[in-house]
């Protein structure tokens, strides 16, 4: 869908804000009725808070803006496949649709390790669209971690460094 690319581009712009402050470049936007109602980027290192993931910050902002914890009829766009914590928040907030860019084979819970968002045992499931602008999203992360390793003087392979 054309709109998916438009909104993923906005999530990438959020990720670039994270990268500019030396955060892992992950960005998220939440859309309702074709309008962005929340946007955020990773702040885990800056805030030293384990829960300062882009998805959680965007969910919190959307809940405040809509004055409800139920984000029905919303779509979350995120540059990296959500982790278990973020997938849980997506389920709890009742987001209807999730679109992500790059897969995360180490922590992804929207298909890579497990798929929490479509687990029928939960009281809510999400529609999932994966791989939208995956190459661009993944390259941003690969470049970030490559540069981080250079600065730390380490020679680790990409698979040895966690991306979340």
């Amino acid at each position: 869908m054309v709109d998916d690319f438009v909104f993923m581009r906005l999530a990438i712009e959020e990720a670039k804000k994270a990268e500019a402050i030396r955060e892992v470049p992950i960005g998220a936007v939440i859309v309702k009725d074709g309008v962005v109602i929340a946007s955020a980027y990773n702040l885990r290192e800056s805030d030293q808070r384990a829960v300062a993931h882009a998805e959680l910050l965007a969910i919190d902002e959307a809940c405040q803006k809509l004055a409800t914890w139920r984000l029905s009829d919303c779509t979350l766009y995120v540059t990296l496949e959500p982790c278990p914590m973020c997938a849980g928040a997506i389920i709890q907030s009742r987001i209807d649709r999730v679109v992500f860019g790059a897969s995360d084979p180490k922590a992804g819970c929207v298909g890579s390790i497990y798929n929490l968002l479509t687990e029928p045992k939960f009281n809510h499931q999400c529609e999932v669209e994966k791989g939208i602008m995956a190459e661009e999203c993944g390259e941003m992360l690969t470049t970030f971690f490559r540069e981080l390793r250079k600065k730390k003087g380490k020679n680790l392979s990409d698979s040895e460094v966690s991306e979340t």
Side-chain angles (χ1 to χ4, degrees):
M1 179 189 246
V2 174
D3 286 346
D4 285 346
F5 290 93
V6 170
F7 293 122
M8 184 60 75
R9 169 66 46 210
L10 295 175
I12 289 170
E13 292 305 313
E14 289 298 311
K16 288 178 181 178
K17 293 175 186 178
E19 185 175 40
I21 60 170
R22 297 188 183 123
E23 285 281 351
V24 177
I26 301 170
V29 297
I30 297 178
V31 175
K32 182 171 181 150
D33 300 324
V35 176
V36 174
I37 60 168
S39 60
Y41 52 89
N42 253 23
L43 288 172
R44 188 168 64 171
E45 294 298 326
S46 298
D47 291 357
Q48 289 298 298
R49 293 186 309 127
V51 297
H53 287 205
E55 300 96 307
L56 297 181
L57 297 172
I59 288 169
D60 191 48
E61 181 182 325
C63 289
Q64 290 178 30
K65 184 167 187 176
L66 297 178
T68 181
W69 61 268
R70 290 179 183 92
L71 300 179
S72 302
D73 301 321
C74 290
T75 298
L76 168 69
Y77 293 85
V78 61
T79 57
L80 182 66
E81 179 181 1
C83 71
M85 175 176 62
C86 293
I90 291 163
I91 293 165
Q92 292 300 315
S93 63
R94 309 299 195 265
I95 290 174
D96 286 339
R97 185 167 179 258
V98 173
V99 178
F100 71 88
S103 293
D104 185 353
K106 290 187 174 193
C109 278
V110 186
S112 289
I113 294 175
Y114 192 78
N115 195 341
L116 291 174
L117 299 187
T118 60
E119 172 56 56
K121 292 179 183 174
F122 289 123
N123 63 342
H124 179 77
Q125 292 83 41
C126 301
E127 178 186 338
V128 174
E129 181 74 35
K130 63 182 179 176
I132 300 295
M133 301 180 75
E135 189 172 318
E136 186 171 348
C137 294
E139 183 58 34
M140 194 172 9
L141 288 159
T142 299
T143 300
F144 174 82
F145 284 109
R146 186 178 297 129
E147 292 301 315
L148 184 64
R149 285 190 301 275
K150 281 181 188 176
K151 288 178 184 174
K152 290 185 175 184
K154 295 182 179 176
N155 189 17
L156 300 174
S157 70
D158 289 338
S159 65
E160 293 176 294
V161 178
S162 175
E163 294 179 356
T164 57

